[in-house]
Protein backbone atom coordinates (compact mmCIF):
# COMPACT_ATOMS: atom_id res chain seq x y z
CA UNK A 1 0.00 0.00 0.00
CA UNK A 2 1.39 3.39 -1.01
CA UNK A 3 0.95 6.55 1.06
CA UNK A 4 0.97 10.04 -0.45
CA UNK A 5 3.19 12.28 1.65
CA UNK A 6 3.90 15.99 1.41
CA UNK A 7 7.60 16.62 2.06
CA UNK A 8 8.85 20.01 3.26
CA UNK A 9 12.63 19.84 3.53
CA UNK A 10 12.77 23.47 4.58
CA UNK A 11 15.93 25.29 5.55
CA UNK A 12 19.43 24.56 6.84
CA UNK A 13 19.87 20.92 7.80
CA UNK A 14 16.21 20.16 7.07
CA UNK A 15 16.68 18.72 3.58
CA UNK A 16 19.68 16.65 4.73
CA UNK A 17 17.90 14.91 7.60
CA UNK A 18 14.69 14.38 5.62
CA UNK A 19 16.67 12.69 2.85
CA UNK A 20 17.95 10.16 5.41
CA UNK A 21 14.47 9.64 6.84
CA UNK A 22 13.07 8.86 3.39
CA UNK A 23 16.00 6.52 2.72
CA UNK A 24 15.21 4.55 5.88
CA UNK A 25 11.48 4.37 5.12
CA UNK A 26 12.28 2.94 1.70
CA UNK A 27 14.65 0.40 3.26
CA UNK A 28 11.85 -0.63 5.63
CA UNK A 29 9.78 -1.59 2.62
CA UNK A 30 7.12 1.11 2.83
CA UNK A 31 6.17 2.75 -0.46
CA UNK A 32 5.71 6.51 -0.33
CA UNK A 33 4.44 8.73 -3.12
CA UNK A 34 6.10 12.02 -2.18
CA UNK A 35 5.14 15.55 -3.20
CA UNK A 36 7.85 18.15 -2.51
CA UNK A 37 7.06 21.65 -1.28
CA UNK A 38 9.65 24.43 -1.21
CA UNK A 39 8.63 26.36 1.88
CA UNK A 40 10.50 28.07 4.68
CA UNK A 41 12.85 30.97 5.19
CA UNK A 42 14.72 30.56 1.90
CA UNK A 43 11.46 30.54 -0.08
CA UNK A 44 10.23 33.62 1.80
CA UNK A 45 13.43 35.52 0.97
CA UNK A 46 13.03 34.58 -2.69
CA UNK A 47 9.44 35.67 -3.35
CA UNK A 48 7.80 36.58 -0.02
CA UNK A 49 5.67 33.43 0.02
CA UNK A 50 5.21 31.61 3.35
CA UNK A 51 2.23 29.24 3.08
CA UNK A 52 -0.36 29.92 0.36
CA UNK A 53 -3.96 28.92 1.01
CA UNK A 54 -3.95 26.80 -2.15
CA UNK A 55 -1.13 24.67 -0.71
CA UNK A 56 -3.18 24.08 2.43
CA UNK A 57 -6.01 22.87 0.21
CA UNK A 58 -3.65 20.49 -1.61
CA UNK A 59 -2.47 19.10 1.72
CA UNK A 60 -6.00 18.17 2.73
CA UNK A 61 -5.85 15.42 0.13
CA UNK A 62 -2.58 13.93 1.40
CA UNK A 63 -2.05 11.15 3.93
CA UNK A 64 0.59 12.96 5.99
CA UNK A 65 3.26 15.67 5.96
CA UNK A 66 6.96 15.27 6.80
CA UNK A 67 8.91 18.43 7.64
CA UNK A 68 12.65 18.85 8.17
CA UNK A 69 13.17 22.27 9.73
CA UNK A 70 12.39 25.86 8.81
CA UNK A 71 13.95 29.19 9.63
CA UNK A 72 16.90 31.30 8.61
CA UNK A 73 18.70 34.17 10.40
CA UNK A 74 17.83 36.51 7.52
CA UNK A 75 14.10 36.34 8.32
CA UNK A 76 12.86 38.17 11.45
CA UNK A 77 11.80 35.86 14.31
CA UNK A 78 8.14 34.90 14.26
CA UNK A 79 7.51 35.38 10.54
CA UNK A 80 7.97 31.75 9.50
CA UNK A 81 6.88 30.33 12.84
CA UNK A 82 3.49 32.03 12.76
CA UNK A 83 3.04 32.08 9.00
CA UNK A 84 3.95 28.44 8.39
CA UNK A 85 4.09 26.25 11.49
CA UNK A 86 1.23 27.79 13.46
CA UNK A 87 -0.87 28.21 10.33
CA UNK A 88 -0.44 24.50 9.61
CA UNK A 89 -1.56 23.62 13.13
CA UNK A 90 -4.61 25.86 13.04
CA UNK A 91 -5.76 25.21 9.46
CA UNK A 92 -5.27 21.43 9.61
CA UNK A 93 -6.51 21.18 13.23
CA UNK A 94 -3.32 19.52 14.46
CA UNK A 95 -4.50 19.77 18.04
CA UNK A 96 -2.20 17.17 19.62
CA UNK A 97 1.57 17.50 19.70
CA UNK A 98 2.98 14.12 20.70
CA UNK A 99 6.62 13.77 21.66
CA UNK A 100 8.09 10.45 22.82
CA UNK A 101 11.32 10.27 24.81
CA UNK A 102 13.58 7.34 25.68
CA UNK A 103 16.37 7.35 28.25
CA UNK A 104 19.84 7.09 26.69
CA UNK A 105 20.31 3.66 28.27
CA UNK A 106 16.88 2.50 27.09
CA UNK A 107 15.73 1.83 30.66
CA UNK A 108 12.50 3.80 30.43
CA UNK A 109 10.45 5.96 28.12
CA UNK A 110 7.70 8.53 28.45
CA UNK A 111 5.47 10.59 26.18
CA UNK A 112 4.40 14.23 26.40
CA UNK A 113 1.01 15.20 24.96
CA UNK A 114 0.94 18.94 24.37
CA UNK A 115 -2.23 20.80 23.43
CA UNK A 116 -1.25 22.34 20.10
CA UNK A 117 -3.78 24.97 18.98
CA UNK A 118 -4.74 27.07 22.02
CA UNK A 119 -3.08 28.66 25.04
CA UNK A 120 -0.72 31.59 24.60
CA UNK A 121 -0.01 30.61 20.99
CA UNK A 122 -3.57 31.35 19.87
CA UNK A 123 -2.55 34.96 19.25
CA UNK A 124 -4.88 36.75 21.68
CA UNK A 125 -3.45 40.07 22.83
CA UNK A 126 -2.01 43.30 21.48
CA UNK A 127 -0.32 46.63 22.12
CA UNK A 128 -1.54 49.92 23.51
CA UNK A 129 0.55 53.09 23.11
CA UNK A 130 3.28 51.06 21.40
CA UNK A 131 6.65 52.78 21.25
CA UNK A 132 5.85 55.26 24.03
CA UNK A 133 7.03 55.29 27.65
CA UNK A 134 3.50 54.16 28.62
CA UNK A 135 3.41 51.14 26.31
CA UNK A 136 1.22 48.18 27.30
CA UNK A 137 1.49 44.67 25.87
CA UNK A 138 -0.98 41.90 26.64
CA UNK A 139 -0.63 38.23 25.70
CA UNK A 140 -3.63 36.13 26.59
CA UNK A 141 -3.98 32.40 27.05
CA UNK A 142 -7.02 30.95 25.28
CA UNK A 143 -8.34 27.73 26.80
CA UNK A 144 -11.64 26.21 25.74
CA UNK A 145 -13.39 23.25 27.31
CA UNK A 146 -13.62 21.71 23.82
CA UNK A 147 -9.91 22.13 23.12
CA UNK A 148 -8.73 21.01 26.54
CA UNK A 149 -11.05 18.01 26.71
CA UNK A 150 -10.16 16.53 23.34
CA UNK A 151 -6.46 16.75 24.20
CA UNK A 152 -7.00 15.23 27.65
CA UNK A 153 -9.11 12.42 26.18
CA UNK A 154 -6.38 11.62 23.68
CA UNK A 155 -3.85 11.42 26.52
CA UNK A 156 -6.04 9.08 28.58
CA UNK A 157 -6.66 6.85 25.57
CA UNK A 158 -2.91 6.68 24.91
CA UNK A 159 -2.07 5.96 28.55
CA UNK A 160 -4.60 3.13 28.58
CA UNK A 161 -2.66 1.35 25.81
CA UNK A 162 0.68 1.48 27.62
CA UNK A 163 2.06 -0.98 30.15
CA UNK A 164 2.18 1.40 33.12
CA UNK A 165 -1.18 3.04 32.38
CA UNK A 166 -0.26 6.26 34.18
CA UNK A 167 -1.06 9.86 33.22
CA UNK A 168 0.26 13.07 34.81
CA UNK A 169 -1.33 16.48 34.33
CA UNK A 170 1.25 19.28 34.36
CA UNK A 171 0.08 22.88 34.83
CA UNK A 172 0.36 25.74 37.33
CA UNK A 173 -3.03 25.64 39.01
CA UNK A 174 -1.95 27.54 42.12
CA UNK A 175 -1.23 30.70 40.10
CA UNK A 176 -3.12 30.27 36.80
CA UNK A 177 -6.37 29.87 38.66
CA UNK A 178 -8.68 30.18 35.65
CA UNK A 179 -6.93 28.20 32.92
CA UNK A 180 -5.51 25.80 35.50
CA UNK A 181 -8.92 25.23 37.01
CA UNK A 182 -10.40 24.38 33.60
CA UNK A 183 -7.59 21.94 32.89
CA UNK A 184 -7.77 20.29 36.30
CA UNK A 185 -11.57 19.91 36.33
CA UNK A 186 -11.57 18.49 32.82
CA UNK A 187 -8.74 16.09 33.66
CA UNK A 188 -10.49 14.84 36.80
CA UNK A 189 -13.83 14.38 35.05
CA UNK A 190 -12.35 12.40 32.16
CA UNK A 191 -10.35 10.33 34.67
CA UNK A 192 -13.59 8.89 36.05
CA UNK A 193 -14.16 7.24 32.66
CA UNK A 194 -10.72 5.55 32.79
CA UNK A 195 -10.45 3.65 36.08
CA UNK A 196 -7.65 1.57 34.57
CA UNK A 197 -5.39 4.65 34.34
CA UNK A 198 -3.72 5.99 37.49
CA UNK A 199 -3.19 9.74 37.61
CA UNK A 200 -1.02 12.41 39.17
CA UNK A 201 -0.59 16.18 39.06
CA UNK A 202 2.64 18.25 39.02
CA UNK A 203 3.18 21.97 38.90
CA UNK A 204 5.27 22.76 35.83
CA UNK A 205 8.26 24.02 37.83
CA UNK A 206 8.32 20.79 39.83
CA UNK A 207 8.02 18.80 36.60
CA UNK A 208 11.15 20.53 35.28
CA UNK A 209 13.05 19.31 38.33
CA UNK A 210 11.67 15.77 37.99
CA UNK A 211 12.55 15.66 34.27
CA UNK A 212 16.20 16.10 35.27
CA UNK A 213 16.31 14.16 38.56
CA UNK A 214 13.85 11.30 38.02
CA UNK A 215 12.24 11.20 34.55
CA UNK A 216 11.47 7.52 35.10
CA UNK A 217 8.50 8.57 37.27
CA UNK A 218 6.61 9.56 34.12
CA UNK A 219 4.65 7.49 31.64
CA UNK A 220 2.34 9.89 29.79
CA UNK A 221 2.14 13.62 30.49
CA UNK A 222 -0.57 15.98 29.28
CA UNK A 223 -0.13 19.74 29.42
CA UNK A 224 -0.96 23.01 27.71
CA UNK A 225 0.71 24.58 24.70
CA UNK A 226 3.33 26.78 26.36
CA UNK A 227 4.29 24.40 29.16
CA UNK A 228 4.43 21.58 26.62
CA UNK A 229 6.77 23.56 24.39
CA UNK A 230 9.20 24.09 27.27
CA UNK A 231 8.94 20.61 28.78
CA UNK A 232 9.49 18.81 25.50
CA UNK A 233 12.72 20.67 24.80
CA UNK A 234 13.87 19.71 28.28
CA UNK A 235 12.74 16.16 27.58
CA UNK A 236 14.97 16.11 24.54
CA UNK A 237 17.92 17.26 26.62
CA UNK A 238 17.52 14.54 29.26
CA UNK A 239 17.01 11.79 26.70
CA UNK A 240 20.20 12.23 24.75
CA UNK A 241 19.80 15.60 23.06
CA UNK A 242 17.45 17.20 20.55
CA UNK A 243 19.13 15.23 17.77
CA UNK A 244 17.04 12.28 19.02
CA UNK A 245 13.77 14.16 19.63
CA UNK A 246 10.90 13.33 17.27
CA UNK A 247 7.39 14.74 17.19
CA UNK A 248 3.99 14.38 15.62
CA UNK A 249 1.52 17.21 15.15
CA UNK A 250 -1.61 15.12 15.04
CA UNK A 251 -5.14 15.43 13.80
CA UNK A 252 -6.46 12.35 15.63
CA UNK A 253 -9.87 12.77 13.96
CA UNK A 254 -8.12 12.41 10.59
CA UNK A 255 -10.09 15.21 8.98
CA UNK A 256 -6.78 16.25 7.42
CA UNK A 257 -3.15 15.12 7.27
CA UNK A 258 -0.99 15.03 10.39
CA UNK A 259 2.50 16.53 10.27
CA UNK A 260 5.68 14.93 11.62
CA UNK A 261 8.96 16.73 12.29
CA UNK A 262 12.15 16.55 14.34
CA UNK A 263 12.09 19.18 17.08
CA UNK A 264 15.55 20.57 16.40
CA UNK A 265 15.92 23.78 14.43
CA UNK A 266 17.40 24.39 11.01
CA UNK A 267 20.95 24.79 12.43
CA UNK A 268 22.25 26.96 9.55
CA UNK A 269 25.74 26.96 11.07
CA UNK A 270 26.23 23.29 10.16
CA UNK A 271 24.03 23.07 7.06
CA UNK A 272 25.63 21.23 4.16
CA UNK A 273 28.44 19.83 6.29
CA UNK A 274 26.95 16.38 7.01
CA UNK A 275 27.23 17.07 10.74
CA UNK A 276 23.52 16.90 11.60
CA UNK A 277 22.15 13.91 13.47
CA UNK A 278 19.27 12.54 11.35
CA UNK A 279 17.90 10.22 14.06
CA UNK A 280 15.18 12.68 15.15
CA UNK A 281 13.96 12.99 11.57
CA UNK A 282 14.07 9.21 11.09
CA UNK A 283 12.12 8.65 14.31
CA UNK A 284 9.60 11.28 13.21
CA UNK A 285 9.14 9.32 9.99
CA UNK A 286 8.62 6.19 12.12
CA UNK A 287 5.89 8.02 14.04
CA UNK A 288 4.31 8.92 10.73
CA UNK A 289 4.37 5.29 9.57
CA UNK A 290 2.78 4.10 12.80
CA UNK A 291 0.02 6.71 12.45
CA UNK A 292 -0.56 5.45 8.90
CA UNK A 293 -0.92 1.85 10.08
CA UNK A 294 2.60 0.65 9.27
CA UNK A 295 3.33 -0.48 12.84
CA UNK A 296 5.82 -3.23 11.96
CA UNK A 297 8.01 -0.95 9.84
CA UNK A 298 7.86 1.75 12.51
CA UNK A 299 8.98 -0.69 15.21
CA UNK A 300 11.89 -1.92 13.09
CA UNK A 301 13.02 1.64 12.45
CA UNK A 302 12.90 2.55 16.13
CA UNK A 303 14.91 -0.56 17.01
CA UNK A 304 17.50 0.26 14.35
CA UNK A 305 17.80 3.84 15.61
CA UNK A 306 18.41 2.55 19.15
CA UNK A 307 21.10 0.22 17.84
CA UNK A 308 23.09 3.07 16.25
CA UNK A 309 22.38 5.81 18.79
CA UNK A 310 26.02 5.94 19.91
CA UNK A 311 27.42 6.02 16.38
CA UNK A 312 29.70 8.99 15.70
CA UNK A 313 29.44 9.44 11.93
CA UNK A 314 28.23 11.77 9.20
CA UNK A 315 24.56 12.44 8.49
CA UNK A 316 24.41 10.05 5.53
CA UNK A 317 26.51 7.39 7.28
CA UNK A 318 24.07 7.33 10.20
CA UNK A 319 21.20 7.07 7.73
CA UNK A 320 22.95 4.19 5.96
CA UNK A 321 23.55 2.43 9.28
CA UNK A 322 19.88 2.64 10.24
CA UNK A 323 18.72 1.61 6.77
CA UNK A 324 20.98 -1.46 6.81
CA UNK A 325 19.34 -2.65 10.04
CA UNK A 326 15.64 -2.33 9.17
Amino acid sequence: MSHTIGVIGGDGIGPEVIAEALKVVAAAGVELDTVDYQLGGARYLTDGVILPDEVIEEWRGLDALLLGAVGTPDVPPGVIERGLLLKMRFELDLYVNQRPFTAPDGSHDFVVIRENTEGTYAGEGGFLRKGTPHEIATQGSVNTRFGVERCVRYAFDLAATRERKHLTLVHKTNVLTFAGDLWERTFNEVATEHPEVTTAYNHVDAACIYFVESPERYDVIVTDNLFGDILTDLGGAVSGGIGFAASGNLNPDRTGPSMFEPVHGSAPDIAGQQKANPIAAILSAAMMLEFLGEADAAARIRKACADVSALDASTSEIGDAVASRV
Side-chain angles (χ1 to χ4, degrees):
M1 179 180 179
S2 178
H3 307 281
T4 304
I5 307 299
V7 177
I8 308 104
D11 302 307
I13 64 172
E16 299 173 50
V17 296
I18 288 299
E20 300 310 311
L22 293 175
K23 176 199 296 180
V24 170
V25 169
V30 179
E31 183 179 346
L32 298 182
D33 181 12
T34 60
V35 183
D36 292 321
Y37 293 91
Q38 301 302 317
L39 298 170
R43 171 70 185 273
Y44 176 76
L45 290 172
T46 299
D47 57 15
V49 170
I50 302 178
L51 179 54
D53 290 340
E54 56 268 26
V55 171
I56 288 282
E57 291 307 309
E58 286 182 29
W59 285 350
R60 296 187 193 281
L62 303 180
D63 295 317
L65 300 167
L66 185 61
L67 184 146
V70 292
T72 173
D74 298 323
V75 178
V79 173
I80 303 301
E81 291 85 349
R82 293 205 65 85
L84 178 60
L85 298 178
L86 292 187
K87 185 175 180 179
M88 292 172 73
R89 294 176 189 173
F90 297 146
E91 292 291 331
L92 299 175
D93 203 19
L94 308 178
Y95 65 85
V96 164
N97 186 282
Q98 181 167 325
R99 298 192 183 182
F101 300 99
T102 301
D105 63 1
S107 60
H108 63 274
D109 67 276
F110 63 95
V111 183
V112 177
I113 301 301
R114 164 190 172 191
E115 198 289 318
N116 213 28
T117 59
E118 295 189 348
T120 51
Y121 294 2
E124 193 276 331
F127 291 102
L128 181 64
R129 306 188 190 98
K130 186 176 182 180
T132 75
H134 305 288
E135 181 173 348
I136 300 171
T138 62
Q139 191 78 58
S141 178
V142 177
N143 300 266
T144 69
R145 173 64 189 229
F146 171 77
V148 171
E149 183 172 336
R150 65 181 182 172
C151 182
V152 166
R153 286 190 178 279
Y154 180 89
F156 269 103
D157 289 342
L158 176 64
T161 67
R162 292 169 59 87
E163 182 178 357
R164 290 176 59 189
K165 293 181 170 51
H166 187 272
L167 178 62
T168 303
L169 170 64
V170 172
H171 211 281
K172 190 69 175 172
T173 56
N174 59 335
V175 176
L176 303 178
T177 54
F178 303 123
D181 183 71
L182 173 57
W183 272 87
E184 188 169 46
R185 280 187 291 109
T186 303
F187 183 85
N188 291 338
E189 290 171 22
V190 176
T192 64
E193 303 173 24
H194 292 270
E196 76 281 15
V197 177
T198 57
T199 62
Y201 170 80
N202 290 159
H203 290 324
V204 65
D205 42 354
C208 288
I209 296 171
Y210 299 147
F211 264 46
V212 175
E213 292 185 347
S214 55
E216 66 277 1
R217 72 172 56 210
Y218 294 116
D219 183 21
V220 181
I221 294 167
V222 65
T223 189
D224 82 345
N225 209 338
L226 178 59
F227 295 150
D229 195 0
I230 297 167
L231 282 175
T232 50
D233 282 350
L234 181 56
V238 301
S239 59
I242 58 173
F244 297 93
S247 77
N249 296 266
L250 308 180
N251 177 332
D253 304 324
R254 300 178 189 263
T255 57
S258 294
M259 185 270 280
F260 301 84
E261 60 172 334
V263 302
H264 57 65
S266 59
D269 56 319
I270 60 170
Q273 301 176 44
Q274 285 285 300
K275 293 181 178 180
N277 186 347
I279 294 293
I282 295 169
L283 289 173
S284 297
M287 290 185 70
M288 178 184 73
L289 294 185
E290 185 166 42
F291 194 76
L292 294 174
E294 303 283 357
D296 176 69
R300 285 186 280 120
I301 290 172
R302 285 193 294 268
K303 174 64 167 58
C305 285
D307 289 344
V308 305
S309 60
L311 182 63
D312 183 13
S314 70
T315 304
S316 61
E317 288 171 341
I318 294 174
D320 289 342
V322 176
S324 69
R325 288 167 169 80
V326 298

